[in-house]
Every structure is written in structure tokens, then in C-alpha cells.
Amino acid sequence: MKNFISIADVPSIDHLVTQALGYKKNPYADKTLGQGKKIGLLFLNPSLRTRFSTQVAALNLGLEPLVFNVDKEGWALEFEEEAIMSGNTVEHIKDAAPVLGKYFDILCIRTFPSLKNREDDYSELYITQFVKYAGIPVVSLESATLHPLQSLTDIITITECLQNSPGIAKPKIVLTWAPHVKPLPQCVANSFAQWINAWGKADFVITHPEDYDLDPRFTKGTRILHNQDAALKDADFVYVKNWSTYKDYGKMYTNDPEWMLSNEQLLLTNQAKVMHCLPVRRNVELSDEVLDGPHSIVTQQAGNRVWAAQSVLSEILKS
Ligand code: CP
């Protein structure tokens, strides 16, 4: 595996999942794999889980991680080809990325969408420019439209739960929209749909208010319901996430609190496990009663970010 930007880079989801669960049992199994090598983590946007879990994963493999908050400490980067840089940008990615390629063995990037122009965001200009010019493997720590490390983590967590529930042959997984106070990217939802569909081992349903359709390239073939209760029926896993509108791009039409999952609604499910990528706005996206209750596996899920990152970094180092 050369890069890790989307599912298209992954030869086998099952292999990454099995390897990740192996690392969870034995974190230092490959503690010398990355010895003498360095990994650069560049953040153009905030992070808690991705930042620390990727560093812990790197350390477990003997890699030395170095973190840089580009948004706060770096030169303002220009990404447009043939740009006349007479504005606020100071350094072109064409110049910065090859330099980073000399310092590091693997480069990891987090960059969010603007949510202003769909074509620009969905072109994934920032991360593709890093891939084009760095000359070393690039790992997405979440890009404008996708969050593959999160999705791999989610499948690892679902697999782990299923190993403890041998009666569930094909789990019903429901991705449900949740309210929020501001428009959020579609990355986690896009990516979750992309990975669950590629995994192919679940009965997958998406539920959201009308007008919140995701990009059909990711949801193609998925059952989509606008009635949350109907979608939740007999679910084994409920993945809760807000996202802004895709068609009339980056908007928030409704903040309907009725869409916040309740314990009462969970009675419709097959004692579903509740997932969320975090950070979560308590009592807006998900209630205290659900987050602090027996259905929630959000901490287990966030903990598994380490093993997902370790599995991906290991695969890149081995190739
Ligand atoms: N889920 C996730 O990516 O969390 P952070 O934004 O804190 O990294």
C-alpha cells in the first residue's frame, strides 16, 4: 500500500482489520518495523483523537512522529497550479511538499473542506497536491470529503463487537443523521458509506431528513429512509453523525431535535451498539442518557483509532 487516501488504496479491508486487532492484543509485535524512520503529521485543522492515536501507533512501530500545526505555525500554503502569489499565500505546495519529502518517510495530512464550493472541496485539491509533490507515502488524517482512518476504525470496532456476538451473521448497520449547531463536513458519513459498502458484510441503511442526501458515489446501492424509527428497526449498530447538505452545498436546513437518538428509540433495535466518531455535542447530537448508557461504544471506538492507524502505517512500511 503506497498511500492511504481512500478505500481505493486498500487491497484488503479484512487484512487491515485482522492486523489491527492483532496489534490491539500485542501492540509491540512490530516495534522495530519503523526504526530509524520519521513520520510527519501536518494539521491544517484541529484534532484530538487523530493527532494522538496516529502518534501512539507510530511509536508502537518504532517510528518517530513529528507534529506540525500548519494552520497556526506554518506559512500560508498555495495549492492552485500556476497561481500568481500576490495575495496572502506565502509558499506553494509545489515547493513545500518536496522539502517535507526529504525530512520524512511518511507524511500525514489533515485538511477540512471549505463547505463553500462543492466542486473545489470534492476535487480534493489539497491532499492530491501533497500526494503529487511529496514523493513519499501520504496518509489522510481526514480530507475535504473522506475520513478513511475513522472508517477503518469503525469496521474494526464492529468486527470486534461481532466476535463477542456470534449469533449475528449479517449485522444491520444504520447510519443516522443527527442535529448540530453548525454545518459540518460530509467526510465521516461519505467515508463510512464507502467502507461499509466495500466491506459488503452488513445490511446497511442510511436515514436522514429529506434534503440531506449524501454524494451518490458513496451511497450507491444503499437503502435510504427518511423515517428514522423505521430505519432503526432491528438494528445491531447505529452510527450517529451530523453532516451538512450536499446538493445545495454546505447548508444546515433543519436542526430538528427529534432526530437526536433517544433510549426509547433504541428499544426498536436489536439492543444496538451506538457509535459516534467524536467529538460529539452532548444533548444536541446525542443525549447524555445514550452516551453514558450501556448501548454506547464510543470510547471503545475512539480507542481503536490507534490500531487502525498502526495497521495502515505497518502496511505502508512493509511495502
Ligand atoms: N474522530 C476524529 O477524527 O477525531 P479528531 O477530530 O479529534 O481527530
Side-chain angles (χ1 to χ4, degrees):
M1 198 165 66
K2 181 155 187 335
N3 300 303
F4 185 75
I5 307 299
S6 86
I7 192 85
D9 298 308
V10 177
S12 165
I13 297 176
D14 284 343
H15 171 69
L16 284 182
V17 170
T18 305
Q19 184 166 256
L21 289 171
Y23 282 137
K24 186 166 184 172
K25 287 201 179 81
N26 188 0
Y28 304 111
D30 286 322
K31 66 181 181 204
T32 58
L33 189 63
Q35 212 163 36
K37 295 193 167 145
K38 295 180 187 64
I39 175 171
L41 280 75
L42 269 62
F43 287 88
L44 284 79
N45 297 93
S47 163
L48 185 149
R49 279 142 290 272
T50 309
R51 168 184 298 255
F52 283 117
S53 62
T54 311
Q55 288 182 81
V56 172
L59 291 167
N60 288 348
L61 293 168
L63 277 166
E64 188 167 340
L66 287 119
V67 179
F68 186 44
N69 298 310
V70 182
D71 55 336
K72 295 181 184 72
E73 297 153 0
W75 300 116
L77 290 172
E78 175 62 58
F79 289 87
E80 292 295 338
E81 297 282 3
E82 298 175 20
I84 298 168
M85 291 172 56
S86 56
N88 293 329
T89 55
V90 176
E91 180 163 31
H92 202 284
I93 188 69
K94 218 183 235 190
D95 302 311
V99 173
L100 295 168
K102 298 289 179 213
Y103 299 158
F104 297 110
D105 299 279
I106 300 173
L107 201 54
C108 307
I109 323 287
R110 164 164 285 198
T111 171
F112 282 173
S114 66
L115 292 181
K116 291 187 169 66
N117 182 309
R118 186 174 68 185
E119 281 65 41
D120 281 357
D121 286 345
Y122 275 70
S123 75
E124 289 285 11
L125 177 68
Y126 286 20
I127 200 137
T128 52
Q129 292 288 71
F130 273 107
V131 172
K132 185 171 174 186
Y133 292 118
I136 56 173
V138 174
V139 172
S140 168
L141 301 176
E142 186 168 355
S143 65
T145 66
L146 295 169
H147 195 352
L149 275 176
Q150 182 65 55
S151 308
L152 173 58
T153 302
D154 300 335
I155 292 181
I156 290 165
T157 308
I158 290 166
T159 302
E160 193 176 38
C161 291
L162 290 173
Q163 286 172 352
N164 297 324
S165 305
I168 302 173
K170 189 174 187 184
K172 179 175 176 184
I173 300 175
V174 177
L175 169 64
T176 179
W177 185 90
H180 205 278
V181 295
K182 63 175 191 174
L184 292 190
Q186 294 116 29
C187 308
V188 170
N190 281 345
S191 212
F192 188 71
Q194 185 183 48
W195 280 69
I196 293 293
N197 281 328
W199 191 47
K201 296 182 182 178
D203 171 16
F204 183 41
V205 178
I206 301 176
T207 182
H208 57 72
E210 291 191 27
D211 299 323
Y212 279 84
D213 300 282
L214 292 162
D215 182 343
R217 279 177 296 175
F218 304 119
T219 60
K220 198 166 57 183
T222 308
R223 201 148 45 100
I224 297 170
L225 301 176
H226 300 307
N227 181 326
Q228 193 184 37
D229 283 354
L232 290 170
K233 192 169 180 325
D234 299 329
D236 299 297
F237 295 88
V238 181
Y239 200 107
V240 178
K241 186 73 186 88
N242 170 269
W243 61 87
S244 58
T245 54
Y246 169 72
K247 281 183 187 156
D248 180 23
Y249 191 59
K251 305 281 193 310
M252 192 177 79
Y253 291 145
T254 172
N255 193 21
D256 188 347
E258 292 298 310
W259 276 82
M260 186 173 74
L261 187 71
S262 67
N263 266 345
E264 198 182 348
Q265 283 177 297
L266 285 171
L267 294 174
L268 300 167
T269 70
N270 182 27
Q271 297 182 319
K273 310 276 188 210
V274 175
M275 305 176 74
H276 189 288
C277 63
L278 304 180
V280 63
R281 293 221 180 206
R282 279 180 174 253
N283 303 309
V284 175
E285 281 183 272
L286 260 175
S287 62
D288 284 340
E289 66 167 8
V290 172
L291 277 167
D292 300 332
H295 291 273
S296 171
I297 56 167
V298 298
T299 307
Q300 175 187 351
Q301 184 185 356
N304 283 338
R305 291 293 306 269
V306 171
W307 318 117
Q310 191 163 336
S311 190
V312 165
L313 294 177
S314 166
E315 215 50 30
I316 289 173
L317 287 169
K318 286 180 200 157
S319 55

